[in-house]
Structure formats: C-alpha cells, structure tokens
Amino acid sequence: DQQVKQNSPSLSVQEGRISILNCDYTNSMFDYFLWYKKYPAEGPTFLISISSIKDKNEDGRFTVFLNKSAKHLSLHIVPSQPGDSAVYFCAASGKTSYDKVIFGPGTSLSVIP
Amino acid sequence: DVKVTQSSRYLVKRTGEKVFLECVQDMDHENMFWYRQDPGLGLRLIYFSYDVKMKEKGDIPEGYSVSREKKERFSLILESASTNQTSMYLCASSPHLGPSYEQYFGPGTRLTVT
C-alpha cells in the first residue's frame, strides 16, 4: 500500500493561472516533506521542502502547504509558466538520518500557453 | 556544478542476462542510491550505500545486487534479468543521509528486458 499518494496523475493549467498539486500520506511518523520536479529524459531535481514544524514554505513562485491533521500537503505554483510543465513527485520521510525518503507516483503538469 | 552520470541512457537485454548499470558522481558525496521508476508507482528504492563497500537494502531489493568499490561509483547488478525488471532506473547521490539533504539524480537508464 502506497504511503504517499498523488491522486491526480495529470493536470492541465492555463499559463498565468495557479497550479495546485496535491499529495496525501498515511504514515503519521513522516516529519519532512519534499517536492521534486522531473523533465523528460532528465533525472528529478529538488524543488522545495517543508518540515512538520511549519505549515507553509515559500520559494519564489512555489509554495508548499502542510496540513498535518489531514495528512495532506499541496504545492502551489503562481503564476504557472510553460516551463513548469513536468512531472512533480511528492516525497516524505521520518526525522532521523536512517529514515528513507518515500516518493509518490507523480503528477504530470501541463501548462498551456 | 553537481553531476551524476549513468553509463547508458537506453539498454536492451535478454531474459537471463547479467546486467550492469553504472553510476558515477563527482560531488564527493557519501551516499548513493538506486531507484526504479514505474508508471503509477513513483520512485522505489532498490538499494543505497552510505560508504564505500557498505550497502543497505531498500524497499524492493529482490533480484538486484549492488557494488560500491570506490566512493564515486555505485553499480546496480541484475544477476539474471527478467521481463518484470523492464523499467527506468535512476541513480542519486546526497552528501549526508537524512531527509533534509536533497538527492541529486542522474538522467536515468531505460532498461528493456525481452
């Protein structure tokens, strides 16, 4: 059973609008959450992260929101740009250095010019 | 600039063959990882290594082994390839273990086993 779920395999958004990518997790021991972005024919690259002591982290056009009680996080991209078209992986881990990072199945975002 | 390279972008092998996937990082990172990426399943950890000659099983180690003889190189070995090992294989490295250290990924090897 997947511990990190991304229930939308794909998402299309108009350029300039907000993209919201959702992620749910089942393990209450997860303490740290990350988003990676993957272009075709390239490896994933780290995008943004959030610790469980926060409920929001912002980096330019990217904001991640964490709702621990709901075991839910979301990535907001505002405004969306065509170059944001990629697969986005949500990932989660416990707090110790021995905890593995668990990745979700990914959401493919298409930003339409 | 950080770099993780993988020996092949595409590989086609026959069932039963022994397959070697090579990964090299130039960042002097302690830790290296092998994942496979399958549609609907995301990235799943096969093995990782936190030091030379050290290895730990990930979530799906069956049918795979690894070798790390030098710090910069981490090899994934399929002892006897099977069709269910057809997948995208991604290598990654990180300076330290722990979730707050980002992993740097190679471009991947698309392996097809026929």
Side-chain angles (χ1 to χ4, degrees):
Chain A
D1 192 29
Q2 285 188 337
Q3 297 185 68
V4 178
K5 303 178 184 184
Q6 295 176 256
N7 292 322
S8 297
S10 61
L11 178 67
S12 283
V13 171
Q14 207 74 31
E15 181 179 3
R17 299 285 187 110
I18 183 171
S19 295
I20 300 176
L21 293 87
N22 292 304
C23 177
D24 296 289
Y25 60 96
T26 57
N27 189 338
S28 58
M29 299 302 292
F30 284 151
D31 192 65
Y32 201 83
F33 304 88
L34 311 96
W35 287 92
Y36 280 80
K37 175 177 172 178
K38 184 182 186 300
Y39 292 118
E42 295 182 16
T45 54
F46 170 76
L47 185 59
I48 192 169
S49 62
I50 188 166
S51 164
S52 62
I53 61 172
K54 293 185 169 184
D55 54 17
K56 176 183 173 181
N57 189 25
E58 199 169 350
D59 184 2
R61 296 186 296 114
F62 302 90
T63 304
V64 57
F65 295 91
L66 175 63
N67 182 335
K68 280 204 79 177
S69 61
K71 296 192 182 70
H72 176 84
L73 62 154
S74 60
L75 175 68
H76 293 211
I77 307 173
V78 184
S80 302
Q81 298 173 355
D84 296 328
S85 297
V87 176
Y88 290 79
F89 292 100
C90 173
S93 179
K95 62 179 68 177
T96 77
S97 60
Y98 300 101
D99 287 303
K100 290 172 284 195
V101 177
I102 308 295
F103 287 82
T107 295
S108 179
L109 173 67
S110 294
V111 179
I112 303 159
Chain B
D1 197 18
V2 159
K3 200 154 188 187
V4 178
T5 56
Q6 295 183 229
S7 52
S8 304
R9 297 301 299 270
Y10 299 94
L11 212 49
V12 180
K13 295 291 181 181
R14 292 195 181 277
T15 301
E17 276 194 84
K18 190 168 185 174
V19 182
F20 293 85
L21 302 183
E22 305 284 341
C23 175
V24 177
Q25 52 98 0
D26 65 0
M27 298 162 282
D28 201 36
H29 284 172
E30 301 289 332
N31 310 286
M32 297 186 75
F33 308 82
W34 274 108
Y35 293 88
R36 63 177 282 177
Q37 180 194 353
D38 299 288
L41 297 176
L43 279 67
R44 292 180 292 165
L45 182 64
I46 305 171
Y47 268 96
F48 71 98
S49 168
Y50 53 89
D51 202 351
V52 174
K53 298 192 186 292
M54 305 305 286
K55 60 185 179 184
E56 290 284 342
K57 291 180 180 179
D59 297 316
I60 50 163
E62 297 79 19
Y64 303 94
S65 62
V66 290
S67 172
R68 193 166 181 203
E69 296 296 319
K70 293 185 177 182
K71 191 176 186 180
E72 67 272 18
R73 189 179 297 269
F74 192 33
S75 302
L76 180 68
I77 303 152
L78 286 67
E79 295 291 340
S80 177
S82 63
T83 55
N84 63 14
Q85 292 178 309
T86 290
S87 187
M88 170 68 82
Y89 289 87
L90 291 160
C91 175
S93 71
S94 72
H96 303 286
L97 284 178
S100 60
Y101 296 99
E102 71 174 274
Q103 296 184 24
Y104 298 84
F105 284 85
T109 295
R110 171 75 64 185
L111 173 67
T112 302
V113 183
T114 61

